[in-house]
Amino acid sequence: MRILTAAHHAPSVGYSQPWNFILIRDRSSRLNIKESFSKERLKSVELLEKDKEKKRKYLDLKLEGILESNLNICVTYDHRRFGPYVIGRMTIKEAGIYSVCCAIQNLWLAARAENIGVGWVSIIDNKHLKRILNLPTNIKPIAYLCLGYVNKFEVQPDLQSQNWLNRLDLEKVINYEQWDDRNRPTEWEGFSQRLTGKKAYS
Amino acid sequence: MRILTAAHHAPSVGYSQPWNFILIRDRSSRLNIKESFSKERLKSVELLEKDKEKKRKYLDLKLEGILESNLNICVTYDHRRFGPYVIGRMTIKEAGIYSVCCAIQNLWLAARAENIGVGWVSIIDNKHLKRILNLPTNIKPIAYLCLGYVNKFEVQPDLQSQNWLNRLDLEKVINYEQWDDRNRPTEWEGFSQRLTGKKAYS
């Protein structure tokens, strides 16, 4: 409940709080959801086509903990909540979904602070999920999460330690003033030095 | 940079880290963005039609700090990053956008920990934003944020203290096992008591 309280205190567009948290312990639901995962995983690995090395790596990855975790949570979006007029959502329709994601990240950090691990399973067909969890038409599943006590927390993300991808340098994802400003304005000099202590863009 | 480091350490689908942070101090860009806000705000208030009370309330609300904040940040999504094959995004296409929102919430919390206030302005036309910030076609703006030192942090969200909406009871957004399970299974008894100390659903 502390974790869900943190999630529920996320900012939301027009204060619409458009989330629900479906807590799932039932084994038969989880078995059905695991089945959806397994199907989608195989479809997904097939898309790698002839890249045998990547296929092998993919199949070695731990991508879910549906059955063995203590609790599954499906986080959903209800576009009707306090609607149709929601401040800030009239211009950017997707803003309600963004709010749900803020709640999910709050949930994740709060869980971590309680030494509880979280995994987000996005290799699930949402049509299956809607049927299994009996979701009405206006309710959109955003995240399917597995929560549980873990033996240890890894220092690096799994996909990094298993050489799938590396973390980008932070400076590569910072832009100054505009997208393509390769001539960083002089007034920005030293901005990124403050953190690293080393000369930026050396 | 500490705040951006926190944002950059958000979880992301397939470790794709699909975000960029455009830092904006330039006054002429901000004036243009403010102009887009002002137009969209008027369009938005007109949608309230004959509800004069709500219109008056709406016009009293502080909905942006584009010009007076210390820094504006546009957070964007790049669907091409490490793509087209991104683990977990083959089944749920929107998962990349969800990752960007997780980064935004990390940014928000990290800023708050540094006593810096954040406001998310979603009353902006993204077509204008793309032009003003020179974003390529494949880059989608997700959030436009105003960051700055504030005189004080309010205890409640503005929309609550100004009687626009109230925070929902947490229990109203929790579902057990399925969407519409009004007969909460007996094994869930006491679950929500643990936090509040009062009898759940009394």
Side-chain angles (χ1 to χ4, degrees), chain B residues 63-78:
Chain B
L63 295 173
E64 55 80 36
I66 296 166
L67 295 176
E68 61 270 49
S69 60
N70 303 83
L71 184 67
N72 292 185
I73 302 181
C74 180
V75 189
T76 60
Y77 169 55
D78 180 0

Side-chain angles (χ1 to χ4, degrees), chain B residues 125-143:
Chain B
D125 185 330
N126 277 335
K127 286 196 301 293
H128 296 161
L129 206 53
K130 287 195 80 158
R131 205 175 49 231
I132 297 164
L133 301 178
N134 203 24
L135 302 184
T137 329
N138 60 304
I139 301 298
K140 183 182 167 74
I142 304 297

Side-chain angles (χ1 to χ4, degrees), chain A residues 70-120:
Chain A
N70 303 82
L71 184 67
N72 291 185
I73 302 182
C74 180
V75 190
T76 61
Y77 169 55
D78 179 1
H79 70 88
R80 289 198 198 157
R81 185 158 306 153
F82 296 125
Y85 192 91
V86 171
I87 291 184
R89 206 186 62 181
M90 310 315 280
T91 320
I92 299 178
K93 302 284 174 229
E94 311 97 306
I97 290 176
Y98 302 167
S99 304
V100 176
C101 297
C102 289
I104 293 163
Q105 182 60 9
N106 265 16
L107 184 158
W108 204 320
L109 294 171
R112 187 63 183 77
E114 309 262 357
N115 279 314
I116 288 172
V118 177
W120 181 329

Side-chain angles (χ1 to χ4, degrees), chain A residues 22 24 58 89 92 96 101 116 120 123 138 147 166 175 192:
Chain A
I22 306 177
I24 304 146
Y58 182 105
R89 206 186 62 181
I92 299 178
C101 297
I116 288 172
W120 181 329
I123 308 174
N138 61 303
L147 279 82
N166 282 314
N175 306 56
S192 57

